[in-house]
Amino acid sequence: MLTKELLRVSRRGGGYHPQFVGDDAEARDLAARVLGVYQGHVGETRGDLDSALDELEAEFAFKLVRGFAKLLDRETAFETRAPLDPERTRRLVFECAESVSVATDADRREALDRAAERMRVPTDGIEQSLYADREVQQVLVNFDSRWTPETLCEQYDLSLAQTALFDATEVCVRSSDPATLVSTVKRLRLLYEIRRTDQGREVVVTGPDALFRRSRRYGTRFARLLRTVASASEWTLEATIDDRNTERTLRLDESDVSVPGVEPVTEMTFDSGVEADFAARFQSLDLDWSLVREPEPLAAGEHVVIPDFAFDWNHGEFRVFFEVMGFWTPEYVAKKLSRFGDLEDVAFLVAVDESLGVGEEVEALTDGAIPYSGTVRVKDVVDALREYEADLLTEARASLPDELRPDDDVISLADLADEHGVSEQTLDSVAFPDHEIVGRTLVRPAVLDTVAETIEAGQSLDAVESTLAGEDLSDTSAVLSRLGYRVEWEGLGGGVLKKKD
Amino acid sequence: MASLTYDEGTIRVDGEVSVPLPGVERDPRSESGRAPAYRYAQLRDALRPLAADVRDDVLDLVDVSELHSSYDLREYQRDALDAWEESDRRGVLELPTGSGKTVIAIGAIERLATPTLVVVPTIDLLNQWRGELEAEFDVPVGQLGGGEQRVEPVTVATYDSAYLRADELGDRFGLLVFDEVHHLGGEGYRDIARLMAAPARLGLTATFERPDGAHEAIEELVGPLVYDLEVDDLAGDHLAPYDIKRIEVSLGPEERARYDEAQGIFTDYLRESDIQLRSGSDYQELVKRSGTDPKAREALLAKQHAREIVANADAKVETLSDILDRHAEDRIIVFTAYTDLVYRLSERFLLPAITNETGTTERSQILDRFREGDYSRVVTANVLDEGVDVPDANVAVVLSGSGSQREFTQRLGRVLRPKEDGGRALLYEVVSEETSEERVAARRR
């Protein structure tokens, strides 16, 4: 984190945009020069280092120079170099000065000589030691930087964003790793609540006192939270900033800030072998549901439940949450059950290890319990999902009219279902007065007539296919069969059209 | 059955209660009731009739019944304390400097025999209070601020440290004492009183009224003004009369040239960018501009440099040499706002120095030695601020820029004492001759 006076932020268009350096080449060169100044000042005083930095400040954006320097200071060791202990020397010198009552240069010399005599050292040593412990006099003894110009820029951007958060009064986060997010929020003694938005659930983070007044006192904790947030592979953060009594919004995501040295985990990770095994087997099937790992946190009273998986319905907005409840301590089970009891109203399935003996309780608290021992059977889960499917189909069918008259001359049922956000199956009971169903495609009779006039027996299959392609018909065999033709194959080469017998 | 617990600066109320609770709001985040911690005393009173049905775990106090003090309170000190107790142990005492505010607070801590946090505005006051509390109570005294973070049943904290840790420590004290309580009016500092649950609160100040009306906020958080005493009420303790001498010095030729150069850069910038400095806010505008405009920054740095040349003028050092020579038998405090100049003077005249760089131990050691007469001179940046026991001196020297800081010299005048032989106290103001900006600009043209 930087200090507040080093914050670089643009308020363009009423927003609040930290001036990130990203992979700007000039900034990287500057980072390299600042690193060079530190490396070049090993053995010299803090005061000399500061003047060298001052020169860079005159040439470049001074807040950026100081920001880099601030980060490097942490890896820099200074120490006092003096022949005598400065504090002790001062005490003695001031005592001697008192007895001389120093005003002139000659008085001064006398006082110093007396002190030197008492300490049995040369007068020079006294003078060198007097204020050798002042910060500006201290010597840079070790500079052991883990940064390269690139990673220094990366760290700068993270620190800059953290600094911007100092003035935040509230932070909303969406993260691909909600479990870590929530545990960090707790560790930082902050409070969260789950808010539902059009883009999904987000975690709203505030401090206890925020209930009574908007406060920036949690700003440093929000700044620390950012490290956790930015370690996820996908995230967005939206903060309300109290910018000298004007409320502004700060928006950040993984393209702005990352944590140097931390590779965000993009592949699915699992708490247990049962979960990993289940995910692998489920994904190998071609179902109307997609598997999502640690989908989003759900509100459960004052707590939160982060389900292991969700199944997203491929033909519309519907999500079923799924938790695998393995064997654990009785306290864990009791806690889980209490959370399920408080859970917000969502579709929620739980696979319960039979040895826990709580299947009935879970059944009562959620949409359904799927007992398992050893491994969760995919078939059982698919069966449970079927029940939702039936409802989803009915619901989707209810949203469609009894007849559909698409504008296209030719359209596949799959595309039409997509357009209406339903599954292909839903269209089974819909009538298409203007079209004929050929295979799984709707075709206007006029199109079929045109094709029928163009093709004839004896044509090569290639020629026929290009004719059909001209009319957007791809299901060749279905069309040919409808028009009363078949293909006679000649060895391994192309086929020839024949009238069906 | 309802329960009250302390939660990070708030009082959390779980369970249902049949009476209305002052300040408690529903908090959906924790599915509980919640109130700011400063309402705890009221909440406790409101719940008293239901005592059997309420479990109160808010405060976590250590037993400190062994707190005994040997102070015999003076009559007005006892009156002040009685008035505070009658006001439910919440309230502010307005008392002039030198009336023994620390003694009254010690009296309050002794009467309540409860863990206490004393909040003070400066490091010097922090050291002073800690010293007095340790001497009086013979218990370890905690300290938050000045490089230390140690909590004990009796703890002294700076406003800054108390602000940072208020929500973490808010259940550990039964009594809060705010020295110079008018500081609590600052927007951030109010959190200290808001987030702590201590039912008893004592504010001490010499000037309660704040022009911004923030004393009303203090009333809500600490309590009303329950006692005030005028300077005149304190018989026999009046301030020393003192004389002021003003000495003007000029820049040397080489200093003059460097000054003109720096000042020229500044005035040229103002002319080129058509900026006129009529008020403080014009200047603020320039400072703001310097954040993005390198030329404005260069101009400001030049201006700062010019000021430093003036403040550090060699002639001032020579003048100080004369003054020190003339007052070899006196007790002298030298002030200047520039830390670098403090060290230059310290090295040149071998004067003990106190600045914001000085560590706590060395700082109190220097002040002690000055007080006891081992040292008769000390040089300092303007850190010996309000309320601090400044060791008696009869000569003060202020090395300022070109203008005088009236407010500061007045305050300084108050710490001066006449010599034992009755000689009047003396205040020197050493300033640079007026350096006319117009003249500099004209010469460069």
Side-chain angles (χ1 to χ4, degrees), chain A residues 268 283 290-296 308-312 319:
Chain A
M268 286 191 180
Q283 279 168 317
S290 312
L291 186 79
V292 184
R293 172 71 184 146
E294 292 209 340
E296 56 189 319
D308 295 319
F309 303 104
F311 305 108
D312 277 352
R319 180 171 266 201

Side-chain angles (χ1 to χ4, degrees), chain A residues 98 131 189 206 209 213, chain B residues 8 29 191 194 346 362 376:
Chain A
E98 186 68 36
Y131 278 118
R189 298 181 286 123
T206 44
D209 193 46
R213 70 203 275 267
Chain B
E8 298 290 324
R29 299 171 302 176
D191 275 3
R194 281 176 44 79
S346 174
E362 191 176 5
S376 61

Side-chain angles (χ1 to χ4, degrees), chain B residues 402-428:
Chain B
S402 52
S404 69
Q405 308 143 286
R406 169 160 311 200
E407 217 177 288
F408 179 66
T409 46
Q410 278 179 355
R411 197 192 299 160
L412 184 56
R414 281 194 226 129
V415 311
L416 292 173
R417 299 280 178 268
K419 284 184 78 170
E420 275 166 25
D421 63 12
R424 285 166 73 88
L426 195 54
L427 191 152
Y428 287 97

Side-chain angles (χ1 to χ4, degrees), chain B residues 310-349:
Chain B
V310 170
N312 287 285
D314 288 338
K316 287 189 182 166
V317 180
E318 288 318 303
T319 307
L320 181 60
S321 172
D322 293 344
I323 295 173
L324 290 174
D325 197 25
R326 195 177 315 147
H327 293 280
E329 302 302 315
D330 290 308
R331 296 174 53 73
I332 308 173
I333 295 185
V334 182
F335 284 91
T336 172
Y338 294 86
T339 304
D340 282 343
L341 184 56
V342 170
Y343 285 106
R344 185 172 160 210
L345 297 175
S346 174
E347 293 201 47
R348 168 64 185 78
F349 299 106

Side-chain angles (χ1 to χ4, degrees), chain B residues 239-299:
Chain B
L239 307 168
Y242 63 96
D243 299 318
I244 299 183
K245 285 193 182 175
R246 189 180 163 96
I247 302 176
E248 288 200 356
V249 302
S250 349
L251 296 177
E254 192 260 346
E255 283 171 340
R256 167 61 66 192
R258 283 194 294 133
Y259 175 84
D260 287 354
E261 167 76 27
Q263 186 66 27
I265 293 173
F266 179 68
T267 46
D268 284 356
Y269 174 79
L270 293 188
R271 200 177 55 247
E272 278 160 21
S273 46
D274 209 17
I275 296 177
Q276 306 208 329
L277 294 184
R278 288 197 204 83
S279 65
S281 64
D282 289 341
Y283 192 77
Q284 276 311 310
E285 182 53 39
L286 182 59
V287 171
K288 226 166 111 186
R289 210 188 258 217
S290 72
T292 48
D293 173 4
K295 290 215 116 182
R297 183 170 145 78
E298 191 194 351

